[in-house]
Amino acid sequence: MTRQSFLKGSFILMTAGLVTRILGMINGMVLARVIGDEGVGLFMMAFPAMLLVVTLTELGLPVAISKLVAEAQAFGNYRKIKLVLGWSLAIVGVISVVLTAMMLLLIPITAKFLFADTRVVYPLLAITPVIPIVAVSSVLRGYFQGIRNMKPYAYSGIVEQVVRISLVATLANLLMPYGVAYAAGGAMVAGSAGECASLMYMLYVFKHGEGIKLKRPKQKALKGTREVLRDLLRIGLPTMGSRLISSLGNFLEPMIVSHALVIAGYSIAQSTQLYGQLTGYAMTLLLLPSFITHALHVSLVPAVSEAYARQSFHMIHYRLNQALRIAMVTGGLSVVVTYCFAEPLMTIIYSSPESAQFLYLMSPFFMIFYFQAPMHAVLQALDLAKAAMYNTLTGAVVKTIMLFLLTCRPEFGIKGTALAICTNVVLVTVLHAAVMFKKIGFSLIIRDYIRTFLLIACTAYAANILTHHALLGWSLLPRTVALLALISILYLVLASFLGLVQKEQVSQLPLIGKWFS
């Protein structure tokens, strides 16, 4: 079995994540131009429902599988790994069949009561093919994560996006004559096709590259099943609870926002368009660095789980600080770029300069968001998934209340939605930090955070000067690209000068091409 170190595995996932994010932005650009703001709004109203279905299908098992496989591999218990995989597949298989039937029966009946815009029923129905595909994919991803072989996990995401982009424009254009709702449904079907291609790739790798064969277990081999099931559910259910709370919050969000905007005086079409600008355009850019935090989350769970199984708290602190430093430096660059170049980026990518208002409002808060995933991963690895779930619940309740109270007020409108999202980001991250420090003690390197504040301030000041005085005779696209390149280089040079980019991390970068070979 191929196995990578924490940093190598993280950089593999980051590189693949960058590629998939770029492909995802291309997909968003295509969607925006084919189905418009209104179509994107319908797509984004249905998208949280897809996340909710995926959460229910997975049952939190990918994290549980990753943790249990990592611990079993640390002590050479390969029989337990087989049990974990076998019973995980059985669980998600049953759940996927039940959910698919429920979706097909309930969506046509309930959609008209839940959404102000009833056309969302078509993209909602288009979600159903993805359910059984996600079920099997989640188990395989958890397994590869647990054995710390991140290549299949990384490649599968690229395969998914390539297939999605190849089909989304075709399906959306074919269905556009029937209406924007059908076109949004076609875009959702393209996503299901991408998931299917990703699953086929992982099944191929598992069959030809791994030594574990799944067969019907004999009675003797079932010894320890109760313990495995208990561990899977003990870790998986709170993990699912956290994701379910977030997914339910996101599922309710478009309903609350659409009705609140109508109360505030907007038409249904206007509310759909504004919600599309916020979630389909601004949030996409704000969450761009989340491929880095997701990579850290995926790599941290098995790495910290193995260290915790061996009671190596020094290694847990070391891995945590590594992850937070990477998240902080990359998140800082994202804040500078999205704030200082908000309008040109929105104009170039989405032809929607008015959406820049959301970046100006939200980007400073999202610096905190980039710490959330690594902290959550550490909590899961330390058997604190239940505490993480309660933190997520607290944030979701506060966010839901604020969504309605702020959005329905005419002086806030859609900006009230943005403020509610930012409040949730800050609150959940702070609660995660409090629980984590109570468990393992305070171990943050404060000077790194002071240096990062100086780094962001200096780079933002330079970006402000350049955007107002440099390359004024150039057209928008080449000027923006050139200025972004200059700011990124300046940021990296200052980060290196301040000691935020460490030799240990940089020494891994030239090997990325070799890891992917």
Side-chain angles (χ1 to χ4, degrees), residues 161-444:
Q161 286 292 345
V162 169
V163 173
R164 185 195 297 257
I165 291 172
S166 301
L167 293 177
V168 69
T170 304
L171 291 176
N173 275 311
L174 282 174
L175 295 171
M176 195 64 181
Y178 300 96
V180 69
Y182 284 91
M188 197 67 78
V189 171
S192 298
E195 285 282 357
C196 184
S198 171
L199 173 59
M200 292 299 103
Y201 167 75
M202 285 193 292
L203 284 172
Y204 176 83
V205 174
F206 183 82
K207 183 178 180 180
H208 293 87
E210 303 298 329
I212 292 179
K213 306 295 180 185
L214 296 179
K215 299 178 182 178
R216 185 186 178 102
K218 299 178 181 178
Q219 191 68 28
K220 197 175 191 180
L222 290 175
K223 185 179 179 182
T225 292
R226 184 178 297 179
E227 180 186 349
V228 168
L229 285 174
R230 186 178 66 246
D231 288 341
L232 281 171
L233 296 178
R234 175 178 56 83
I235 303 164
L237 288 178
T239 301
M240 183 200 69
S242 293
R243 291 192 60 188
L244 184 60
I245 291 163
S246 297
S247 297
L248 277 172
N250 292 332
F251 179 68
L252 293 172
E253 181 182 299
M255 304 175 200
I256 296 170
V257 171
S258 61
H259 288 293
L261 285 172
V262 170
I263 293 172
Y266 296 89
S267 68
I268 292 176
Q270 285 176 320
S271 65
T272 302
Q273 184 178 3
L274 287 170
Y275 189 73
Q277 290 175 358
L278 172 61
T279 58
Y281 300 163
M283 289 294 291
T284 300
L285 277 183
L286 289 170
L287 295 175
L288 182 61
S290 64
F291 73 88
I292 294 174
T293 56
H294 175 69
L296 294 171
H297 182 282
V298 170
S299 296
L300 269 175
V301 171
V304 174
S305 295
E306 186 176 323
Y308 187 56
R310 300 179 186 277
Q311 293 295 292
S312 178
F313 288 95
H314 169 75
M315 182 57 67
I316 294 173
H317 284 281
Y318 179 67
R319 294 299 184 210
L320 173 63
N321 277 306
Q322 273 186 317
L324 292 181
R325 186 183 298 110
I326 294 170
M328 181 169 53
V329 173
T330 53
L333 178 58
S334 174
V335 169
V336 172
V337 168
T338 53
Y339 188 88
C340 296
F341 296 90
E343 192 167 333
L345 285 174
M346 283 300 184
T347 303
I348 293 169
I349 298 174
Y350 300 113
S351 298
S352 180
E354 62 273 19
S355 301
Q357 61 176 321
F358 303 117
L359 294 182
Y360 292 131
L361 177 63
M362 300 175 74
S363 58
F365 292 97
F366 267 70
M367 182 67 197
I368 298 173
F369 171 78
Y370 306 126
F371 297 129
Q372 193 175 114
M375 290 181 178
H376 199 162
V378 171
L379 292 180
Q380 290 169 335
L382 296 175
D383 288 327
L384 292 171
K386 188 179 292 185
M389 180 184 71
Y390 291 141
N391 295 343
T392 306
L393 176 61
T394 303
V397 170
V398 172
K399 172 189 168 184
T400 303
I401 295 171
M402 290 186 65
L403 273 176
F404 184 78
L405 293 179
L406 293 180
T407 306
C408 69
R409 296 176 67 88
E411 62 267 32
F412 286 107
I414 193 65
K415 288 185 178 180
T417 306
L419 287 171
I421 293 171
C422 292
T423 302
N424 172 264
V425 165
V426 174
L427 179 59
V428 174
T429 306
V430 170
L431 290 174
H432 281 353
V435 174
M436 185 180 65
F437 294 143
K438 183 178 180 181
K439 176 71 175 182
I440 63 172
F442 187 83
S443 66
L444 298 184

Side-chain angles (χ1 to χ4, degrees), residues 422-488:
C422 292
T423 302
N424 172 264
V425 165
V426 174
L427 179 59
V428 174
T429 306
V430 170
L431 290 174
H432 281 353
V435 174
M436 185 180 65
F437 294 143
K438 183 178 180 181
K439 176 71 175 182
I440 63 172
F442 187 83
S443 66
L444 298 184
I445 304 173
I446 300 300
R447 65 177 179 274
D448 284 349
Y449 296 85
I450 297 173
R451 291 170 179 173
T452 303
F453 175 79
L454 292 173
L455 172 64
I456 293 172
C458 292
T459 312
Y461 179 73
N464 184 58
I465 293 175
L466 288 174
T467 52
H468 286 88
H469 301 289
L471 309 178
L472 295 178
W474 292 28
S475 58
L476 182 62
L477 178 59
R479 180 173 186 264
T480 303
V481 171
L483 291 179
L484 283 174
L486 287 172
I487 289 300
S488 299

